[in-house]
Structures are given as C-alpha cells and as structure tokens.
C-alpha cells in the first residue's frame, strides 16, 4: 500500500452546520499525525478547475462555531462524467495529494465511490448533511443543529397558530427522508408529521383529519417533508381547502433557514470525532468508507452501504408522536 503523506479535503453538495468543525478536525488531526493538508475549494469543482490551497493548523482557527463551510461547496456536473473525473485525478497527481477526505451527503459520497473505484484511489467520507439520510450511521453532521432550528421555528409558529386557531402545515427539508420532520414534530409538540416513508403506504392527511386532530385544541401544527412523495406543504393546504373547508389553513416553508446557524455542541463534537477518525481510518489502510457513529461508537461504513436509499424510519418515533398528540 502506498504511504499517505498528503491529504486533500473538500466539502460537497448541500452545506450543513458542523462542516467547519469537521474541516478543523480533519486538518488538525492530519497535521498532528505528520501529514500535509490541502484544501480543495467548491467541492469536486476545485479539483477540475484547480482551486487547491495549502492548509496549516491556523487555516482552521476560529471556525468551529461557524455554520456553512469555509471551503465553500458546489454541485459539479463535470465530476459526473468520465472526462471530468480524469481531470480531477490529474489534479490530485499534480498536487501530490495521496488521499481525499470528502465531507458531504449521499450524492457526494456516490461521486467519491465511483472515483475511488475508477482510479483505485483512497477516499474516506464524512456524513455532512442535515437530512440524516445516510445508512450505517445514527447521526450525520448538521442534523442536530437543523433539528434545533426547526424546533425553535415551530415554537414561534405555535404562538400565532393558537392565537388564530389555525391549521399550519410547515414544510421541512429532508427529500426522501422524514427524520427532520418526524423528530422536529416530537421536539416541538406538533400534532403530526407527514413523511415520505409513510406517504407511499397510506393517505396520512385523510387519516389525520378523520381522527379529528387533537380533540382538546382548535389549532394544529403539522410538519410535512418537502418533495414529490408527500407533495409538500402547499399541496396539503390546497387539498384541505377543497376537501375540508372548515379548517383555516396556512403554510410556512422553513427553507434554507434550516441549513444555517452555529452548530450545536452535539454537532461540533460529532464532527470533531468523525474528522479525527477519518485520518485514523486512512492511516489504518481503510478505503472507500464513510465514518459513521452507532451507539456512540465510531464505525467504518462501506460507501456502497452508506449511500443505499430508503434509510428506515424508526417506528417507535412514529408511534410516540401519535400517542402524544391525542
Ligand atoms: P449531496 O452530497 O448533498 O447529496 P448532490 O447530490 O448535489 O449533494 O451531490 C454533490 C456532488 O457530488 C454533485 O454535484 C457531483 O459533483 C457529485 N456527484 C453526485 N452524484 C454523482 C455521481 N453519480 N457520479 C459522480 N459524481 C456525483
């Protein structure tokens, strides 16, 4: 096995709070272990368009508390082509970068997997996404912060919802994954969550209305995961207006506010542990794995498993939300 002397580090895809804490941890752990570090700007774009900068320990000073990513992030179409990846590989060779740490979501790790296989190139991934939709890890970097942001926003919406006795649909990020909506609903005491994992099996809106929401209250908060599977909050509201006109319905789309903000202590600690673990993994000869956490223990998850679609939702959370909204 070739020895690793220099690592490249990039953040890719959707940004997530805690990415900076991860950048800091990877950089400092690498330097501690005697490695050189190069920061690649704007995700895979930086490899193709040669935006690569040397990183020292103080390059990552004073960033642990900042949301977003100092490396910037981007979506890079070129990396999805064989020709684009060839250019990326040549850049890595030219820069003497022996291994990569990729921080991102399922798209970024899919790209990492393809590239690692094509060039037999060492890559370790860190799960950086607010959605918590990667398999083999209990948590992803950014999820806890986003959940707290959602909870605080829903608390505020509750004040106006109860004053006006309204039914609110609040659209939450997550694409095909209902974790944010489900746990956001539990944390904020909302009546229900309409999530993609259940939408394919049943008409959650009809079930909700036929159960009469919470009998003792005349305002209701329902968190809805964005996207085509649930139809999103707007579509829910339109349906209610037509099918259940007795409700005074409103919609809030939380949008990008969910991605921002200073990471919570949990996200900073998770990112710090995972970042340090990425360097241990590379030096240990691990390849094509994502760093995960299971029952508070750091684990290595093969990319092929991490990026598998349809992470199962925890049924006990679904049941708890239902029980507590009587
Ligand atoms: P996320 O990592 O947040 O899921 P995206 O799905 O947008 O974000 O993916 C981020 C980037 O990862 C893409 O812009 C592209 O550069 C790379 N990527 C995604 N899927 C692939 C793929 N199938 N092959 C190569 N690169 C990919």
């Amino acid at each position: 096995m070739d020895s690793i002397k220099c690592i490249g580090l990039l953040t890719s895809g959707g940004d997530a709070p805690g990415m900076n804490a991860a950048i800091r941890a990877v950089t400092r752990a690498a330097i501690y272990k005697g490695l050189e570090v190069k920061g690649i700007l704007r995700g895979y774009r930086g490899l193709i368009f040669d935006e690569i900068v040397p990183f020292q320990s103080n390059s990552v000073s004073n960033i642990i508390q900042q949301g977003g990513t100092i490396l910037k992030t981007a979506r890079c179409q070129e990396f999805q082509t064989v020709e684009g990846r060839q250019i990326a590989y040549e850049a890595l060779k030219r820069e003497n970068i022996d291994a990569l740490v990729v921080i991102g979501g399922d798209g970024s790790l899919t790209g990492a997997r393809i590239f690692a296989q094509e060039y037999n190139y060492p890559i370790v991934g860190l799960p950086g996404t607010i959605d918590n939709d990667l398999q083999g890890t209990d948590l992803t970097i950014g999820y806890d912060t986003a959940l707290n942001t959602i909870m605080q926003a829903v608390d505020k919406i509750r004040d106006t919802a109860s004053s006006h006795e309204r039914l609110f649909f609040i659209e939450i990020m997550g694409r095909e994954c209902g974790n944010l909506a489900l746990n956001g609903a539990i944390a904020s005491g909302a009546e229900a969550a309409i999530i993609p994992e259940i939408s394919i099996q049943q008409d959650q809106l009809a079930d909700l209305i036929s159960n009469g929401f919470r009998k003792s209250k005349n305002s209701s908060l329902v968190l809805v995961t964005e996207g085509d599977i649930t139809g999103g909050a707007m579509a829910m509201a339109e349906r209610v207006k037509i099918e259940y006109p007795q409700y005074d319905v409103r919609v809030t789309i939380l949008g990008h506010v969910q991605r921002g903000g200073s990471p919570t202590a949990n996200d900073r600690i998770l990112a710090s542990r995972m970042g340090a673990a990425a360097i241990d993994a590379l030096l240990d000869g691990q390849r094509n794995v994502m760093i995960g956490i299971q029952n508070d223990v750091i684990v290595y998850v093969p990319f092929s498993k991490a990026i598998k679609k349809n992470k199962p939702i925890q049924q006990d959370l679904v049941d708890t939300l239902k029980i507590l909204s009587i």
Side-chain angles (χ1 to χ4, degrees):
M1 188 188 314
D2 294 340
S3 73
I4 294 171
K5 296 190 188 68
C6 173
I7 62 140
L9 171 60
L10 62 85
T11 49
S12 166
D15 65 310
M19 279 185 164
N20 279 327
I23 292 169
R24 172 181 179 270
V26 170
T27 302
R28 296 247 166 111
I31 292 170
Y32 180 83
K33 298 276 162 97
L35 304 179
E36 203 185 327
V37 181
K38 292 188 177 177
I40 298 154
L41 303 182
R42 299 179 177 82
Y44 296 118
R45 246 189 90 81
L47 286 176
I48 293 171
F49 296 97
D50 214 2
E51 294 186 280
I52 301 171
V53 290
F55 257 37
Q56 285 82 36
S57 183
N58 66 4
S59 308
V60 294
S61 296
N62 204 15
I63 64 168
I64 195 168
Q65 78 284 14
Q66 291 174 24
T69 157
I70 61 160
L71 283 174
K72 310 290 180 195
T73 183
R75 299 207 150 93
C76 175
Q77 297 282 340
E78 292 86 349
F79 197 73
Q80 306 214 21
T81 66
V82 173
E83 297 76 21
R85 291 193 294 274
Q86 174 73 35
I87 297 171
Y89 180 66
E90 279 156 17
L92 289 169
K93 275 202 304 190
R94 194 172 55 245
E95 291 279 342
N96 295 316
I97 298 174
D98 307 310
L100 269 183
V101 176
V102 171
I103 309 170
D106 66 333
S108 304
L109 299 185
T110 302
R113 180 184 182 224
I114 292 168
F115 185 82
Q117 279 178 345
E118 254 169 15
Y119 292 97
N120 190 25
Y121 192 86
I123 307 187
V124 166
L126 293 188
T129 164
I130 63 167
D131 297 341
N132 200 16
D133 58 349
L134 290 160
Q135 305 246 21
T137 187
D138 297 341
L139 295 166
T140 57
I141 296 164
Y143 174 63
D144 186 62
T145 306
L147 208 45
N148 276 281
T149 302
I150 290 165
M151 180 185 73
Q152 285 159 15
V154 176
D155 284 351
K156 289 178 180 156
I157 294 168
R158 175 188 291 286
D159 292 342
T160 174
S162 57
S163 301
H164 283 280
E165 306 185 324
R166 279 175 175 152
L167 163 58
F168 261 87
F169 289 107
I170 304 161
E171 187 168 294
I172 303 294
M173 284 181 166
R175 296 191 276 192
E176 286 106 54
C177 180
N179 272 325
L180 280 173
L182 179 59
N183 281 307
I186 294 174
S188 58
E191 275 59 54
I194 295 184
I195 58 175
E197 290 85 348
I198 296 179
S199 291
I200 25 183
Q201 297 153 28
Q202 67 197 65
D203 185 344
Q204 295 175 84
L205 180 64
D207 289 355
L208 260 177
I209 306 256
S210 64
N211 290 337
F213 291 103
R214 191 180 296 194
K215 303 284 188 302
S216 56
K217 282 181 63 184
N218 39 19
S219 72
S220 286
L221 303 170
V222 177
L223 274 59
V224 184
T225 304
E226 66 184 357
D228 293 339
I229 304 177
T230 64
M234 283 294 201
M236 289 292 150
E238 289 307 315
R239 250 191 86 186
V240 169
K241 277 184 201 160
I242 295 163
E243 296 175 35
Y244 312 98
Q246 69 272 30
Y247 289 101
D248 185 14
V249 63
R250 292 290 184 280
V251 168
T252 300
I253 296 174
L254 285 192
H256 283 79
V257 74
Q258 296 164 93
R259 285 197 185 282
S262 180
T264 58
N266 280 334
D267 268 333
R268 296 183 198 193
I269 294 165
L270 181 70
S272 299
R273 290 176 75 186
M274 286 182 160
I279 297 305
D280 286 342
L282 279 172
L283 293 179
D284 210 27
Q286 294 289 333
R287 300 298 178 248
N288 303 338
V289 292
M290 179 192 81
I291 305 297
I293 192 156
Q294 292 173 9
N295 302 321
D296 206 31
V297 175
I298 293 286
V299 293
Y300 302 145
V301 186
F303 282 152
S304 55
K305 177 175 178 196
I307 60 179
K308 263 201 190 127
K309 298 276 176 209
N310 306 325
K311 182 175 183 172
I313 205 84
Q314 282 173 252
Q315 188 57 41
D316 69 298
L317 296 173
V318 175
D319 297 342
T320 300
L321 177 60
K322 200 168 178 184
I323 290 166
L324 299 184
S325 65
I326 50 166

